[in-house]
Amino acid sequence: MWHMLGFLLGLLVLCCPTTANAEQTVLDSAQSPQPYRIAIIGAGAAGSSTAYHIRKFAQHDVPINITIFEAENHIGGRTTTINALNDPRYPVELGASIFVEINQILYNATREFGLSATSREDEGTGSAYDLGVWDGANFVFTLSNDDERSGLKGTLDGWWNIAKIIWRYGLSAFRLQSIRNSVIGRFLRMYDDAFPFQDLGEVLREVDLLPVTGQTGPELLKAAGVGERFSREVIQASSRVNYAQNLADFHGLETMVCMSTEGGMSVDGGNWRIFDRMVKEAEAGIHLGAKVHRVETLPNGKSTISYNKSNAHQIDESGFDVVVLAAPYNSSWLTLSPSPSWKPGKVDYVSLHVTLFTSPFRPDPAFFGLKSDQDHLVPDTILTTLPPDTDPDSLGRGVHGVGPTTFWSLSTLRTINPTTDTYIPPSVLSGHIPAENLISPTNNNLTSPIWPRRAPNDKQYVYKIFSPAPLTAEYLIDLFGWCTHPSLPELLRRDDCTTTTNHHNTSKHHSISTIPHALLPWHHEKQWNSYPYMTPRTDFECFDIYSCKNYTAPNATDSGHDKAAATAWKGKLYYTSPMEAFISAMEASALSGRNIARLIVDRLEGRN
Ligand SMILES: Cc1cc2nc3c(=O)[nH]c(=O)nc-3n(C[C@H](O)[C@H](O)[C@H](O)COP(=O)(O)OP(=O)(O)OC[C@H]3O[C@@H](n4cnc5c(N)ncnc54)[C@H](O)[C@@H]3O)c2cc1C
Ligand SMILES: *[C@@H]1O[C@H](CO)[C@@H](O)[C@H](O)[C@H]1NC(C)=O
Ligand SMILES: *[C@@H]1O[C@H](CO)[C@@H](O)[C@H](O)[C@H]1NC(C)=O
Ligand SMILES: *[C@@H]1O[C@H](CO)[C@@H](O)[C@H](O)[C@H]1NC(C)=O
Ligand SMILES: *[C@@H]1O[C@H](CO)[C@@H](O)[C@H](O)[C@H]1NC(C)=O
Ligand SMILES: *[C@@H]1O[C@H](CO)[C@@H](O)[C@H](O)[C@H]1NC(C)=O
Ligand SMILES: *[C@@H]1O[C@H](CO)[C@@H](O)[C@H](O)[C@H]1NC(C)=O
Ligand SMILES: *[C@@H]1O[C@H](CO)[C@@H](O)[C@H](O)[C@H]1NC(C)=O
Ligand SMILES: *[C@@H]1O[C@H](CO)[C@@H](O)[C@H](O)[C@H]1NC(C)=O
């Protein structure tokens, strides 16, 4: 699906010969050394990749002992998978869903780990359109489900859709392609001759990407000759579904990322499996449910980690040589001691509400201004944009920024038939177990606890909505046109259905769990601090917190450490999240982890 997120990546070349300077290793291997101890805070894409790559890069040199602290009870962070209907036949991504083949770290890892990654081609819902872009009044752009017409599978491949794009937008699509390829070319160097990099701002200057992050998407597109209409109706629909932001204050580089998502794929059974395997390959010790609240670096350069696990306060005083903070820094629950004068955390994150649910119903065409019998004209995936006459600068962010559509996107993820669908475990999908060996009654014995067996045509759709605020019962009733449905209780009907002026009125607020099961058999709501506001910038935060270019020695009275000790802390505390203000995606975090792994191993082996 072209609209989903993924992005560009390049060749990864190990920068340093592993045998160089072997004599100069910090630890003298002749003395059967203590292992070099590394703590990683966070087991999302960044932390898992850090651990995995440290193990890879350092394999033959020095003994390394990696410990990961993860606040949640699972690995993956913002890459997390849940089961629709609580049924393992229907895993769906609650966070990051898509990556592309040129995302080499992720893609190569899936191959190395024997995971299968596919781009799901659903049979569709019978709608005439795979995708439509709605501006609150009209569908300004649609892609038809054109299999029959063209004989070609896939949306943008169909000649009909291509013809439509050219007719409506002229050469804009081709101009976009050309600027995009140029940006990709520059970006690839970050995997190649510019790898590893000590400082994000510096490497972006080196590969000539600062001008791209320093301007807005519209500025970049205009300079490249991409028309305003194409930008608003197509590119902004992508920035909204992928980052819950309009283009107006969105930087040029991430704009290109939004348009590099064709061929998007996900790991069968969940993308988190990549990171789960990375942690295992790293042979890292992992504390799950362990929320770190203090990292203290002692005068001897060793760090202790204080964390909460099972509601009990714990402290690991074994003395870490390096600590990697692999999560967005939040000073309200993480204290760094001594307090660095430069602190991360100046990057604002979007608050995104993700609502996953199933229903036997399709959205009401009337909600989108169509005639009530035009069900087939409601696209499977509805992206949104602002109407032409809106000044996006005046709107702001979140509930204001979303504009008249009130949601960012509505996707039909798949069609399910709980009575008849069979279960195929991911181990089979990934080829570990041949499917022939699988057909046994137990594997079909996976009915949902909340969805009773029914007649065979118990079809349901699995939906995902991204919105800037929680959805209410009233909102979904309106969206699906359930006002007259007999199972709807009087209370909800009276609140929402007796006036005609309440279209899109989000001020009423029954929880969606008040909707009867017949209409909404299952739902799951999640608020994420999902990604940064991608405002244009040429200043980026530091990977090495105690040797940041803006760093000044910690306040000596703070914790009894003097300046001399502080300057010795270069390379003691690394931070992966600066990358997110540049590109926020699984692969970007994985690249940040790989880069920091290289910096750590190089330093350990005396190379920087
Ligand atoms: C809804 C949504 C959709 C997205 N879609 C895509 C997509 O399609 N493709 C894509 O590539 N990207 C997508 N992204 C972005 C992607 O999820 C992130 O960029 C990426 O997963 C970030 O990884 P990370 O490791 O840097 O951070 P995180 O995944 O946030 O990992 C940080 C980890 O640290 C843990 N942690 C935090 N504080 C502490 C502490 N004090 N002690 C211990 N542990 C702690 C957290 O629990 C978490 O597990 C999406 C994000 C969201 C929210
Ligand atoms: C890593 O160090 C810890 C603490 O000293 C120890 O308990 C653990 O066994 C070590 N792990 C490995 C793999 O050496
Ligand atoms: C991924 O695999 C390709 C093909 O084997 C290889 O050229 C590339 O260097 C690999 N990249 C990484 C990050 O391992
Ligand atoms: C850690 O646990 C203690 C004891 O339950 C609690 O008082 C404290 O607030 C917790 N700290 C954090 C940062 O969660
Ligand atoms: C930091 O954590 C606090 C408490 O959990 C939360 O209220 C706040 O929104 C967080 N800030 C950021 C920037 O994530
Ligand atoms: C299905 O599962 C239930 C409960 O686990 C069990 O009692 C029953 O025997 C199983 N049926 C089959 C056909 O395996
Ligand atoms: C939304 O509903 C509230 C509460 O019933 C009402 O006060 C408000 O006027 C409504 N807004 C619109 C735009 O209809
Ligand atoms: C460094 O300092 C400059 C000047 O004070 C400031 O503009 C910039 O944002 C700072 N950079 C970081 C990474 O904090
Ligand atoms: C050091 O910290 C103390 C207490 O926070 C403060 O009063 C003092 O002004 C600081 N000194 C410097 C040099 O910043």
Side-chain angles (χ1 to χ4, degrees), residues 7-121:
F7 69 103
L8 14 143
L9 283 183
L11 285 177
L12 226 157
V13 176
L14 306 191
C15 78
C16 306
T18 46
T19 49
N21 299 331
E23 314 85 321
Q24 294 171 18
T25 53
V26 169
L27 300 175
D28 184 349
S29 51
Q31 295 177 358
S32 103
Q34 291 293 307
Y36 191 77
R37 306 204 61 230
I38 299 166
I40 297 173
I41 303 169
S48 321
S49 168
T50 306
Y52 173 70
H53 287 105
I54 286 174
R55 185 64 71 196
K56 257 195 161 168
F57 293 147
Q59 229 161 21
H60 307 297
D61 291 291
V62 281
I64 292 223
N65 182 319
I66 304 171
T67 308
I68 301 178
F69 298 86
E70 167 54 56
E72 300 289 335
N73 284 312
H74 55 88
I75 289 171
R78 272 168 279 167
T79 305
T80 189
T81 310
I82 61 167
N83 294 325
L85 296 170
N86 308 318
D87 184 326
R89 287 177 297 175
Y90 309 124
V92 284
E93 297 292 355
L94 183 60
S97 45
I98 293 297
F99 59 98
V100 293
E101 187 167 338
I102 44 175
N103 292 170
Q104 282 185 42
I105 298 176
L106 299 182
Y107 184 73
N108 288 10
T110 59
R111 313 195 99 200
E112 186 182 331
F113 302 156
L115 299 169
S116 91
T118 49
S119 60
R120 171 176 292 284
E121 288 286 349

Side-chain angles (χ1 to χ4, degrees), residues 427-483:
S427 54
V428 172
L429 290 173
S430 67
H432 282 326
I433 303 175
E436 312 84 84
N437 299 355
L438 206 232
I439 311 307
S440 76
T442 48
N443 294 313
N444 292 324
N445 194 9
L446 281 163
T447 47
S448 146
I450 58 162
W451 187 257
R453 280 182 179 274
R454 279 181 153 206
N457 64 345
D458 62 341
K459 182 153 80 178
Q460 293 183 52
Y461 306 100
V462 184
Y463 294 103
K464 181 189 275 189
I465 295 182
F466 285 176
S467 57
L471 298 184
T472 61
E474 289 78 3
Y475 191 85
L476 280 190
I477 289 166
D478 195 17
L479 175 58
F480 283 86
W482 287 327
C483 280

Side-chain angles (χ1 to χ4, degrees), residues 308-367:
N308 266 14
K309 187 170 177 171
S310 316
N311 255 338
H313 180 85
Q314 314 215 14
I315 181 160
D316 186 328
E317 290 178 305
S318 56
F320 292 99
D321 297 284
V322 178
V323 178
V324 180
L325 174 55
Y329 174 73
N330 184 330
S331 58
S332 71
W333 38 262
L334 184 61
T335 310
L336 303 177
S337 171
S339 173
S341 58
W342 174 78
K343 271 204 196 113
K346 295 281 186 293
V347 175
D348 290 341
Y349 277 70
V350 172
S351 174
L352 178 72
H353 292 263
V354 176
T355 309
L356 284 164
F357 58 97
T358 65
S359 176
F361 292 83
R362 296 293 304 155
D364 182 5
F367 184 91

Side-chain angles (χ1 to χ4, degrees), residues 476-511:
L476 280 190
I477 289 166
D478 195 17
L479 175 58
F480 283 86
W482 287 327
C483 280
T484 55
H485 199 278
S487 74
L488 199 65
E490 259 326 295
L491 178 66
L492 288 174
R493 203 192 309 276
R494 201 169 47 240
D495 267 19
D496 197 55
C497 301
T498 52
T499 68
T500 51
T501 55
N502 58 8
H503 207 55
H504 305 175
N505 189 338
T506 46
S507 60
K508 293 174 186 164
H509 51 266
H510 284 97
S511 150

